[in-house]
Amino acid sequence: MRVYKFGGSSIGTANRVRHVAGIIQGALAETRIVVVVSAIQKVTDLLAEAAALAGQGDPAYRDRISEISGQHVTICHELFGAADADARLDGMLSELADVAGGIFLRHDLSDKSLALVLSYGERLSAWIVGRYLTHAGIYAMSIDARELIVTDSNFSHAKVDTHATDRLVREKVRFSDSVPVVTGFIASAADGSVTNLGRGGSDYTATILGAALHADEVWIWTDVDGLFSADPKRVPDARVLPDISYAEAMELSHAGAKVLHPLAVQPAMKAGIPIIIRNSFNPGAPGTRIEASPATESALPRPVTGLTSINHVVLLNLSGSGMAGVPGTASRLFSCLARHSINIIFISQASSEQSISLAITPGQTSMARRVLEEEFSREMDARRIDPIHVRRNLCMVAVVGNKMSGHPGVSAQLFETLGKNGINVIAVAQGANEMNISVVVDSSDEDKALNCIHESFFLSRRKVHLFIAGTGTIAKSLISQVRAHRSTLQEEMDLDVVVCGLANTRSMALDRGGIDLEHWHEAMKPRDDHDGIVGYIRRIREMNLHNTIVVDCTASTKVAEAYPDLLQENISVATANKLGMAGPWELYRRISEARRKSNAKFLYETNVGAGLPIINTLNDLRNSGDKIICIEGVLSGTLSYIFNELRKGGRFSEIVRKAKDAGYTEPDPRDDLSGADFARKLLILGRELGYRLEYADVECESLVPESCRGEMTPGEFLDRLSGIDDWYAAEIENAGSEGMTIAYTGELKDGKAKVGLKRIPVESPVAGLNGTENLVVFTTDRYLKTPLVVKGPGAGGEVTAGGVFADILRIAGYLV
């Protein structure tokens, strides 16, 4: 024999009732069935609203009663026909209206009256399901659980008298040729008053009946495929748990999992009856099996079975030096709350005994605070105990698993992933059985915490979420590279790089599931406002995704100025924009300070050498204790190209024009020829060495002639530039007569930085550069006789985007 419980969503319409009848009919071919039903979907909420309005003297309660009546009448008409009215249905609906009317006249809603009003939901649904089963040829009998389940007089969360209940169930639930259809949720006190078992109590009813009748199994039919590793509405990657233990199911349900009533496991566990969670909308799905020891072949090998959360909790903190070493403080605290029926969700106490923190529901906060301040008033007056501290807008996240016990590293993994995602743990508790680690965090971080924890413990493939600022040459190349290599990263590194945001000054695209990189242009929509990067970053914060990386592919000062705020929000940054690290000293200082205080990463390798590992090399040298004596070389791919071509005998102005046509220069070549970009790179390296330098401290020689520095178009500039061709030709010739050549180089030594035109030996590595190659020479204590040389391409969108992509992967490696 099995007990089948159907939730309100499973019987919410006439077609669903028919579907449920089909499930029952199919099961009857194998075994006897006892059916337990909840109220029809949304009816319990409507009943509670009607009762509350009536208690306030608001005649709008009648609208709710009318809606409830209409819902049931409509279902009955569709099932049985409009002409086949039933006096019992009319009688129950009329009785409900009278009860609500009485509450309205008294302007008083007691717990007893509320329990009576709420009982009509299950009484109506049990009658409808029972009648339809008979109508469909399955003889059924509706049974009111008030005749079966005996409780105390706590009307809203009644405690069951197991002995009396078991006797009544065995006496009154008869099978013969009928299928019992029992009302879930409701019960009665010894005096006959209606009580209930708490929201979702129909699950509890089912397991109470199953235990009393020695059922083989209790099946809980709901609207999901089983118990999930996390709430699938909050964690898209959550998966169905094939089987779990009774203890794990109890921990998950008490910690917020809504699929199963927290008390429903106890009767089944005591009787050794398995509970099966199935989906009435997808009856072919295997569901979740709950029993003493999950089957080895299907049990998950990982230490964590599932996680869940309770949103909207309030943390109360009782603290004070007068608590230390004083026996009975905790006893007084918990006894006081128990006397006033205040349920404690979470408890944490420091070993110093000077603080006890506990979480409760927001609705009980005022009473809890008042009664505790009364209980400890003498200690508070004597300042041995501080006033009760209340912290709101919190949630509790619980990580549950049988195999956590004796498994080192679970706590470390949990707190590491929370820390790297900037989620502050306000309080933590773990039981001695090591089956549950619960943490309290800000409510705004609930989804982020659930997703990053779930990914850490359940998924071999981890996600990083990219938000790209800028859609220019570098960004387009980066998007192409991510698109081309995403599947490879998934297969070889178990890493999924998801672009969730793109923005420029005119348009923006945001999608937490990921933007289609094949058609990203189509996803870009005009901005509804004009708050620029500030608005984009605000939206990134609002999305609050785990493992977030902001990628700056702009040359915007405003974007650079946002770096400190992003880092303080524990959002990692990968940037090709030099205007942060080479900006004013105050901005550099703020970025550096935010980096020290944040768990986020800030990488900017492409600021100096595009795709070359210059900053990483410099930091490796310094961190390993080497002393940097001098840094010199060519740090501009554009200028490298110009002088490499000039040494081959070309005309200066023609080479610059050719470089512009090839895309090696900025739209206005003067931006490159001024040396400003080179100077910023050298400034960044100087700051990396600890020198307090501003841009003005860098000695920078501009290659833009005085005659070409006024207002003019790039075309006009190039036309005028031919006036200095002869000078460069003569300089190359004169240098050659001395075994030298010319190059635009930079040098950083003794805290001084300078960039400019310089004669160098023809055998110098600089003279051997080709195309847009960059070259940096590190002279150090270790690399004194033979300096360390880093050489390679130093310009172009593809190369720079590749460097940014490498930084993204370094950050991803840290995060996951």
Side-chain angles (χ1 to χ4, degrees):
M1 187 266 290
R2 295 178 190 154
V3 177
Y4 273 16
K5 175 264 174 178
F6 293 95
S9 59
S10 298
I11 55 173
T13 66
N15 282 336
R16 292 180 185 179
V17 173
R18 293 187 186 101
H19 181 63
V20 162
I23 292 174
I24 294 169
Q25 189 166 31
L28 285 171
E30 303 175 5
T31 184
R32 295 177 297 171
I33 298 292
V34 174
V35 175
V36 176
V37 293
S38 299
I40 288 171
Q41 191 173 26
K42 297 183 180 178
V43 166
T44 301
D45 288 337
L46 288 170
L47 288 166
E49 290 176 22
L53 291 168
Q56 296 164 10
D58 188 338
Y61 83 91
R62 297 189 184 96
D63 297 334
R64 305 296 189 277
I65 298 297
S66 177
E67 187 175 348
I68 293 165
S69 298
Q71 191 171 353
H72 289 86
V73 169
T74 297
I75 290 174
C76 287
H77 283 182
E78 291 182 23
L79 291 174
F80 313 121
D84 189 11
D86 190 282
R88 187 170 177 190
L89 173 65
D90 293 339
M92 278 193 285
L93 292 173
S94 178
E95 186 181 314
L96 169 60
D98 290 342
V99 171
I103 296 170
F104 173 72
L105 292 174
R106 294 194 306 272
H107 287 199
D108 177 50
L109 177 63
S110 65
D111 289 343
K112 183 176 182 180
S113 298
L114 177 60
L116 176 58
V117 171
L118 294 179
S119 73
Y120 284 92
E122 276 69 20
R123 289 156 65 184
L124 287 162
S125 63
W127 176 82
I128 291 174
V129 172
R131 184 178 176 194
Y132 182 74
L133 289 174
T134 302
H135 181 80
I138 306 168
Y139 179 58
M141 175 179 59
S142 300
I143 300 177
D144 192 327
R146 292 179 296 176
E147 300 174 7
L148 305 177
I149 300 177
V150 181
T151 69
D152 61 12
S153 296
N154 186 342
F155 298 104
S156 58
H157 291 85
K159 182 178 180 181
V160 176
D161 182 335
T162 305
H163 180 73
T165 297
D166 287 352
R167 178 177 55 80
L168 288 172
V169 170
R170 290 168 189 152
E171 286 178 3
K172 298 192 175 187
V173 177
R174 303 292 182 187
F175 289 94
S176 61
D177 295 327
S178 67
V179 175
V181 180
V182 184
T183 57
F185 176 64
I186 63 175
S188 64
D191 64 358
S193 301
V194 179
T195 61
N196 68 58
L197 305 178
R199 280 299 185 97
S202 297
D203 299 340
Y204 193 15
T205 303
T207 57
I208 289 171
L209 296 182
L213 296 170
H214 304 293
D216 294 304
E217 295 173 336
V218 175
W219 289 36
I220 307 294
W221 291 91
T222 181
D223 57 2
V224 293
D225 284 344
L227 270 172
F228 280 74
S229 52
D231 183 350
K233 294 178 182 176
R234 293 180 173 272
V235 182
D237 294 320
R239 57 189 63 182
V240 176
L241 303 171
D243 45 33
I244 63 172
S245 68
Y246 291 126
E248 289 171 320
M250 289 176 64
E251 290 284 355
L252 287 169
S253 59
H254 278 285
K258 297 178 176 63
V259 176
L260 194 63
H261 188 277
L263 299 177
V265 178
Q266 294 178 357
M269 182 171 63
K270 288 180 180 178
I273 300 171
I275 301 173
I276 318 297
I277 311 293
R278 296 289 290 273
N279 187 350
S280 63
F281 300 102
N282 184 21
T288 300
R289 186 178 183 88
I290 304 170
E291 54 189 338
S293 299
T296 304
E297 59 272 15
S298 60
L300 297 172
R302 55 182 58 87
V304 173
T305 298
L307 57 144
T308 186
S309 64
I310 300 176
N311 51 8
H312 308 305
V313 303
V314 173
L315 200 65
L316 301 181
N317 192 57
L318 182 71
S319 62
S321 58
M323 293 170 58
V326 179
T329 302
S331 173
R332 288 172 61 193
L333 171 67
F334 299 127
S335 297
C336 172
L337 295 176
R339 285 196 304 271
H340 294 86
S341 302
I342 296 170
N343 182 48
I344 301 173
I345 302 169
F346 168 103
I347 303 167
S348 177
Q349 181 175 15
S351 60
S352 65
E353 301 181 52
Q354 295 190 48
S355 174
I356 300 176
S357 297
L358 48 93
I360 61 175
T361 58
Q364 294 184 310
T365 305
S366 298
M367 177 179 287
R369 184 175 193 169
R370 177 176 57 79
V371 299
L372 287 178
E373 287 178 343
E374 290 174 359
E375 176 69 27
F376 294 98
S377 59
R378 286 184 297 175
E379 289 86 350
M380 289 180 184
D381 290 341
R383 297 187 177 180
R384 295 197 299 273
I385 290 180
D386 301 327
I388 303 296
H389 181 261
V390 178
R391 187 161 181 175
R392 304 176 190 274
N393 301 317
L394 305 175
C395 72
M396 187 192 80
V397 176
V399 177
V400 174
N402 267 339
K403 297 183 181 66
M404 286 165 54
S405 178
H407 193 289
V410 175
S411 295
Q413 188 173 342
L414 169 64
F415 293 118
E416 180 182 30
T417 191
L418 291 174
K420 286 181 177 178
N421 280 279
I423 300 169
N424 181 41
V425 175
I426 297 163
V428 60
Q430 180 177 12
N433 64 4
E434 300 183 59
M435 190 186 295
N436 183 329
I437 303 174
S438 296
V439 295
V440 175
V441 301
D442 282 321
S443 291
S444 60
D445 286 328
E446 182 177 4
D447 285 2
K448 187 177 183 181
L450 288 170
N451 278 277
C452 71
I453 296 170
H454 186 272
E455 186 176 278
S456 177
F457 284 104
F458 286 91
L459 303 182
S460 57
R461 179 175 295 170
R462 310 294 183 82
K463 285 182 181 178
V464 292
H465 301 97
L466 304 189
F467 292 85
I468 300 174
T471 55
T473 302
I474 296 173
K476 289 175 182 175
S477 296
L478 176 62
I479 292 168
S480 297
Q481 291 176 19
V482 172
R483 183 178 66 241
H485 295 285
R486 186 179 178 190
S487 60
T488 303
L489 292 171
Q490 290 172 342
E491 293 169 7
E492 297 183 1
M493 295 178 60
D494 283 326
L495 178 67
D496 192 10
V497 179
V498 183
V499 178
C500 297
L502 289 165
N504 55 37
T505 56
R506 300 172 304 281
S507 55
M508 181 167 58
L510 290 169
D511 188 337
R512 65 175 53 242
I515 297 167
D516 180 1
L517 298 186
E518 291 283 354
H519 306 96
W520 65 268
H521 290 93
E522 299 171 14
M524 300 291 284
K525 304 298 180 185
R527 288 178 179 268
D528 296 328
D529 49 39
H530 300 281
D531 49 2
I533 188 63
V534 176
Y536 184 44
I537 291 173
R538 183 176 68 248
R539 286 164 176 78
I540 295 171
R541 289 170 176 161
E542 289 169 354
M543 292 175 74
N544 203 24
L545 298 177
H546 66 292
N547 297 342
T548 291
I549 306 173
V550 169
V551 184
D552 183 5
C553 296
T554 73
S556 166
T557 302
K558 290 184 178 179
V559 180
E561 288 172 346
Y563 297 163
D565 291 339
L566 288 168
L567 293 170
Q568 287 168 9
E569 294 279 340
N570 281 282
I571 296 173
S572 296
V573 177
T575 177
N577 183 357
K578 305 174 189 65
L579 300 183
M581 299 305 281
W585 177 263
E586 178 58 23
L587 175 58
Y588 175 83
R589 185 195 64 77
R590 288 176 55 224
I591 295 172
S592 301
E593 185 177 349
R595 290 174 67 190
R596 287 194 298 271
K597 294 181 178 179
S598 173
N599 288 326
K601 288 291 184 181
F602 179 81
L603 297 185
Y604 49 100
E605 182 65 70
T606 54
N607 278 196
V608 174
L612 296 182
I614 294 173
I615 293 177
N616 281 337
T617 301
L618 174 59
N619 287 331
D620 287 345
L621 292 171
R622 293 185 64 223
N623 293 337
S624 63
D626 202 355
K627 182 181 178 182
I628 311 299
I629 297 171
C630 179
I631 299 175
E632 54 189 334
V634 177
L635 285 172
S636 168
T638 304
L639 294 174
S640 179
Y641 172 83
I642 291 170
F643 282 91
N644 292 339
E645 292 297 307
L646 192 62
R647 282 191 287 272
K648 296 176 183 178
R651 304 285 287 175
F652 186 80
S653 62
E654 294 173 357
I655 294 170
V656 174
R657 190 183 297 274
K658 184 179 175 182
K660 182 180 183 302
D661 292 341
Y664 295 150
T665 73
E666 295 295 329
D668 187 339
R670 287 178 293 180
D671 293 339
D672 298 286
L673 296 176
S674 68
D677 184 67
F678 197 150
R680 290 191 186 96
K681 293 178 179 180
L682 210 61
L683 172 63
I684 292 171
L685 292 177
R687 288 175 170 178
E688 287 293 301
L689 290 178
Y691 300 130
R692 179 166 181 166
L693 296 172
E694 290 281 10
Y695 177 77
D697 297 327
V698 180
E699 184 181 329
C700 179
E701 179 183 355
S702 174
L703 300 183
V704 180
E706 289 286 347
S707 61
C708 299
R709 295 183 184 180
E711 290 290 332
M712 64 186 73
T713 66
E716 291 172 339
F717 163 71
L718 289 172
D719 290 339
R720 291 190 186 185
L721 193 60
S722 59
I724 61 170
D725 286 347
D726 291 342
W727 184 89
Y728 277 102
E731 185 65 17
I732 286 283
E733 183 178 350
N734 293 334
S737 65
E738 300 174 4
M740 308 283 280
T741 187
I742 60 172
Y744 194 87
T745 66
E747 181 183 78
L748 179 65
K749 188 175 183 180
D750 299 328
K752 295 180 180 180
K754 60 181 179 179
V755 295
L757 200 59
K758 182 180 179 181
R759 287 191 179 188
I760 57 171
V762 292
E763 64 272 15
S764 165
V766 172
L769 292 176
N770 291 300
T772 60
E773 286 181 334
N774 276 3
L775 178 142
V776 177
V777 179
F778 294 96
T779 304
T780 73
D781 279 352
R782 293 176 190 159
Y783 296 92
L784 187 58
K785 293 183 179 179
T786 306
L788 177 63
V789 177
V790 178
K791 175 184 174 183
E798 283 291 326
V799 170
T800 304
V804 174
F805 200 0
D807 275 350
I808 290 169
L809 295 179
R810 290 187 189 96
I811 296 173
Y814 161 77
L815 290 173
V816 303

